[in-house]
mmCIF file of all heavy atoms in Angstrom:
data_model
loop_
_atom_site.group_PDB
_atom_site.id
_atom_site.type_symbol
_atom_site.label_atom_id
_atom_site.label_comp_id
_atom_site.label_asym_id
_atom_site.label_seq_id
_atom_site.Cartn_x
_atom_site.Cartn_y
_atom_site.Cartn_z
ATOM 1 N N ARG D 234 28.789 60.275 -5.771
ATOM 2 C CA ARG D 234 29.432 61.346 -6.601
ATOM 3 C C ARG D 234 30.784 61.804 -6.006
ATOM 4 O O ARG D 234 31.680 61.899 -6.863
ATOM 5 C CB ARG D 234 28.399 62.538 -6.699
ATOM 6 C CG ARG D 234 29.053 63.689 -7.456
ATOM 7 C CD ARG D 234 27.967 64.819 -7.700
ATOM 8 N NE ARG D 234 26.798 64.319 -8.524
ATOM 9 C CZ ARG D 234 25.838 65.066 -8.882
ATOM 10 N NH1 ARG D 234 25.755 66.323 -8.453
ATOM 11 N NH2 ARG D 234 24.851 64.608 -9.637
ATOM 12 N N PRO D 235 30.867 62.084 -4.717
ATOM 13 C CA PRO D 235 32.171 62.496 -4.281
ATOM 14 C C PRO D 235 33.303 61.474 -4.467
ATOM 15 O O PRO D 235 34.470 61.800 -4.809
ATOM 16 C CB PRO D 235 31.936 62.695 -2.709
ATOM 17 C CG PRO D 235 30.529 63.015 -2.599
ATOM 18 C CD PRO D 235 29.854 62.148 -3.705
ATOM 19 N N GLU D 236 32.933 60.116 -4.436
ATOM 20 C CA GLU D 236 33.916 59.087 -4.743
ATOM 21 C C GLU D 236 34.308 59.120 -6.200
ATOM 22 O O GLU D 236 35.526 59.040 -6.504
ATOM 23 C CB GLU D 236 33.324 57.727 -4.331
ATOM 24 C CG GLU D 236 33.237 57.534 -2.818
ATOM 25 C CD GLU D 236 32.426 56.323 -2.401
ATOM 26 O OE1 GLU D 236 31.285 56.105 -2.914
ATOM 27 O OE2 GLU D 236 32.974 55.507 -1.648
ATOM 28 N N TRP D 237 33.340 59.290 -7.120
ATOM 29 C CA TRP D 237 33.653 59.373 -8.511
ATOM 30 C C TRP D 237 34.493 60.590 -8.790
ATOM 31 O O TRP D 237 35.383 60.494 -9.653
ATOM 32 C CB TRP D 237 32.330 59.397 -9.392
ATOM 33 C CG TRP D 237 31.921 57.972 -9.649
ATOM 34 C CD1 TRP D 237 30.755 57.379 -9.285
ATOM 35 C CD2 TRP D 237 32.596 57.073 -10.534
ATOM 36 N NE1 TRP D 237 30.663 56.141 -9.872
ATOM 37 C CE2 TRP D 237 31.777 55.893 -10.584
ATOM 38 C CE3 TRP D 237 33.784 56.977 -11.248
ATOM 39 C CZ2 TRP D 237 32.168 54.746 -11.341
ATOM 40 C CZ3 TRP D 237 34.147 55.907 -11.972
ATOM 41 C CH2 TRP D 237 33.338 54.848 -12.014
ATOM 42 N N GLU D 238 34.212 61.710 -8.199
ATOM 43 C CA GLU D 238 34.981 62.919 -8.379
ATOM 44 C C GLU D 238 36.402 62.708 -7.930
ATOM 45 O O GLU D 238 37.350 63.200 -8.593
ATOM 46 C CB GLU D 238 34.298 64.100 -7.610
ATOM 47 C CG GLU D 238 32.932 64.580 -8.235
ATOM 48 C CD GLU D 238 32.286 65.559 -7.440
ATOM 49 O OE1 GLU D 238 32.757 65.870 -6.241
ATOM 50 O OE2 GLU D 238 31.260 66.173 -7.831
ATOM 51 N N ALA D 239 36.555 61.997 -6.856
ATOM 52 C CA ALA D 239 37.942 61.752 -6.375
ATOM 53 C C ALA D 239 38.718 60.854 -7.399
ATOM 54 O O ALA D 239 39.881 61.011 -7.632
ATOM 55 C CB ALA D 239 37.977 61.138 -5.000
ATOM 56 N N ILE D 240 38.001 59.877 -7.985
ATOM 57 C CA ILE D 240 38.605 58.991 -8.934
ATOM 58 C C ILE D 240 38.990 59.725 -10.155
ATOM 59 O O ILE D 240 40.014 59.422 -10.792
ATOM 60 C CB ILE D 240 37.591 57.829 -9.220
ATOM 61 C CG1 ILE D 240 37.471 56.890 -7.939
ATOM 62 C CG2 ILE D 240 38.147 56.937 -10.387
ATOM 63 C CD1 ILE D 240 36.310 55.879 -8.122
ATOM 64 N N GLU D 241 38.181 60.653 -10.566
ATOM 65 C CA GLU D 241 38.364 61.372 -11.811
ATOM 66 C C GLU D 241 39.074 62.699 -11.669
ATOM 67 O O GLU D 241 39.245 63.465 -12.607
ATOM 68 C CB GLU D 241 36.945 61.630 -12.471
ATOM 69 C CG GLU D 241 36.250 60.352 -12.860
ATOM 70 C CD GLU D 241 34.818 60.549 -13.288
ATOM 71 O OE1 GLU D 241 34.341 61.747 -13.009
ATOM 72 O OE2 GLU D 241 34.179 59.632 -13.817
ATOM 73 N N ASP D 242 39.602 62.988 -10.475
ATOM 74 C CA ASP D 242 40.349 64.210 -10.259
ATOM 75 C C ASP D 242 41.585 64.232 -11.186
ATOM 76 O O ASP D 242 42.489 63.339 -11.052
ATOM 77 C CB ASP D 242 40.815 64.232 -8.749
ATOM 78 C CG ASP D 242 41.430 65.516 -8.345
ATOM 79 O OD1 ASP D 242 42.040 66.262 -9.235
ATOM 80 O OD2 ASP D 242 41.302 65.943 -7.188
ATOM 81 N N ALA D 243 41.695 65.259 -12.055
ATOM 82 C CA ALA D 243 42.765 65.231 -13.025
ATOM 83 C C ALA D 243 44.141 65.559 -12.302
ATOM 84 O O ALA D 243 45.176 65.059 -12.828
ATOM 85 C CB ALA D 243 42.493 66.369 -13.985
ATOM 86 N N GLN D 244 44.176 66.279 -11.210
ATOM 87 C CA GLN D 244 45.389 66.595 -10.573
ATOM 88 C C GLN D 244 45.912 65.560 -9.629
ATOM 89 O O GLN D 244 47.125 65.295 -9.615
ATOM 90 C CB GLN D 244 45.202 67.953 -9.824
ATOM 91 C CG GLN D 244 44.825 69.139 -10.708
ATOM 92 C CD GLN D 244 45.845 69.474 -11.762
ATOM 93 O OE1 GLN D 244 47.052 69.399 -11.476
ATOM 94 N NE2 GLN D 244 45.431 69.715 -12.944
ATOM 95 N N HIS D 245 45.028 65.005 -8.779
ATOM 96 C CA HIS D 245 45.447 64.172 -7.689
ATOM 97 C C HIS D 245 44.422 62.966 -7.621
ATOM 98 O O HIS D 245 43.672 62.936 -6.626
ATOM 99 C CB HIS D 245 45.628 64.895 -6.471
ATOM 100 C CG HIS D 245 46.235 64.105 -5.324
ATOM 101 N ND1 HIS D 245 47.196 63.143 -5.585
ATOM 102 C CD2 HIS D 245 46.033 64.142 -3.972
ATOM 103 C CE1 HIS D 245 47.614 62.681 -4.365
ATOM 104 N NE2 HIS D 245 46.914 63.238 -3.472
ATOM 105 N N PRO D 246 44.283 62.129 -8.627
ATOM 106 C CA PRO D 246 43.228 61.120 -8.591
ATOM 107 C C PRO D 246 43.453 59.931 -7.579
ATOM 108 O O PRO D 246 44.566 59.645 -7.335
ATOM 109 C CB PRO D 246 43.284 60.537 -10.019
ATOM 110 C CG PRO D 246 44.676 60.716 -10.424
ATOM 111 C CD PRO D 246 45.141 61.981 -9.737
ATOM 112 N N VAL D 247 42.352 59.422 -7.103
ATOM 113 C CA VAL D 247 42.353 58.180 -6.417
ATOM 114 C C VAL D 247 42.802 57.077 -7.288
ATOM 115 O O VAL D 247 42.121 56.911 -8.430
ATOM 116 C CB VAL D 247 41.024 57.901 -5.719
ATOM 117 C CG1 VAL D 247 40.880 56.466 -5.345
ATOM 118 C CG2 VAL D 247 40.793 58.753 -4.481
ATOM 119 N N THR D 248 43.789 56.324 -7.029
ATOM 120 C CA THR D 248 44.291 55.255 -7.968
ATOM 121 C C THR D 248 44.058 53.827 -7.335
ATOM 122 O O THR D 248 44.428 52.855 -7.978
ATOM 123 C CB THR D 248 45.752 55.371 -8.302
ATOM 124 O OG1 THR D 248 46.517 55.422 -7.030
ATOM 125 C CG2 THR D 248 45.953 56.689 -9.055
ATOM 126 N N ALA D 249 43.514 53.794 -6.122
ATOM 127 C CA ALA D 249 43.223 52.486 -5.452
ATOM 128 C C ALA D 249 41.980 52.632 -4.547
ATOM 129 O O ALA D 249 41.846 53.686 -3.904
ATOM 130 C CB ALA D 249 44.455 51.941 -4.696
ATOM 131 N N ILE D 250 41.220 51.577 -4.380
ATOM 132 C CA ILE D 250 40.095 51.592 -3.529
ATOM 133 C C ILE D 250 40.180 50.359 -2.604
ATOM 134 O O ILE D 250 40.436 49.230 -3.112
ATOM 135 C CB ILE D 250 38.781 51.576 -4.337
ATOM 136 C CG1 ILE D 250 38.662 52.814 -5.221
ATOM 137 C CG2 ILE D 250 37.550 51.544 -3.384
ATOM 138 C CD1 ILE D 250 37.431 52.771 -6.085
ATOM 139 N N VAL D 251 40.006 50.602 -1.344
ATOM 140 C CA VAL D 251 39.926 49.490 -0.372
ATOM 141 C C VAL D 251 38.511 49.275 0.137
ATOM 142 O O VAL D 251 37.851 50.254 0.574
ATOM 143 C CB VAL D 251 40.889 49.835 0.847
ATOM 144 C CG1 VAL D 251 40.776 48.621 1.858
ATOM 145 C CG2 VAL D 251 42.263 50.048 0.408
ATOM 146 N N GLY D 252 37.969 48.078 -0.046
ATOM 147 C CA GLY D 252 36.638 47.749 0.558
ATOM 148 C C GLY D 252 36.862 47.141 1.881
ATOM 149 O O GLY D 252 37.711 46.309 2.055
ATOM 150 N N TRP D 253 36.079 47.565 2.838
ATOM 151 C CA TRP D 253 36.242 47.016 4.185
ATOM 152 C C TRP D 253 35.922 45.519 4.297
ATOM 153 O O TRP D 253 36.446 44.806 5.226
ATOM 154 C CB TRP D 253 35.317 47.778 5.244
ATOM 155 C CG TRP D 253 33.861 47.426 5.157
ATOM 156 C CD1 TRP D 253 32.942 47.999 4.345
ATOM 157 C CD2 TRP D 253 33.143 46.420 5.954
ATOM 158 N NE1 TRP D 253 31.693 47.379 4.558
ATOM 159 C CE2 TRP D 253 31.809 46.459 5.506
ATOM 160 C CE3 TRP D 253 33.524 45.512 6.926
ATOM 161 C CZ2 TRP D 253 30.833 45.650 6.102
ATOM 162 C CZ3 TRP D 253 32.615 44.650 7.483
ATOM 163 C CH2 TRP D 253 31.268 44.738 7.068
ATOM 164 N N GLU D 254 35.278 44.995 3.255
ATOM 165 C CA GLU D 254 35.158 43.549 3.148
ATOM 166 C C GLU D 254 34.917 43.167 1.607
ATOM 167 O O GLU D 254 34.737 44.081 0.806
ATOM 168 C CB GLU D 254 33.973 43.028 4.005
ATOM 169 C CG GLU D 254 32.572 43.483 3.604
ATOM 170 C CD GLU D 254 31.982 42.520 2.642
ATOM 171 O OE1 GLU D 254 31.841 41.348 2.933
ATOM 172 O OE2 GLU D 254 31.563 42.954 1.513
ATOM 173 N N ASP D 255 34.959 41.948 1.307
ATOM 174 C CA ASP D 255 35.073 41.447 0.010
ATOM 175 C C ASP D 255 33.866 41.790 -0.973
ATOM 176 O O ASP D 255 34.076 42.087 -2.124
ATOM 177 C CB ASP D 255 35.358 39.995 -0.103
ATOM 178 C CG ASP D 255 36.732 39.557 0.189
ATOM 179 O OD1 ASP D 255 37.591 40.503 0.273
ATOM 180 O OD2 ASP D 255 37.011 38.380 0.465
#
Side-chain angles (χ1 to χ4, degrees):
R234 177 175 294 181
E236 289 172 306
W237 272 115
E238 290 175 349
I240 294 169
E241 296 170 348
D242 188 331
Q244 300 298 319
H245 190 33
V247 160
T248 57
I250 302 176
V251 179
W253 74 274
E254 67 91 55
D255 282 350

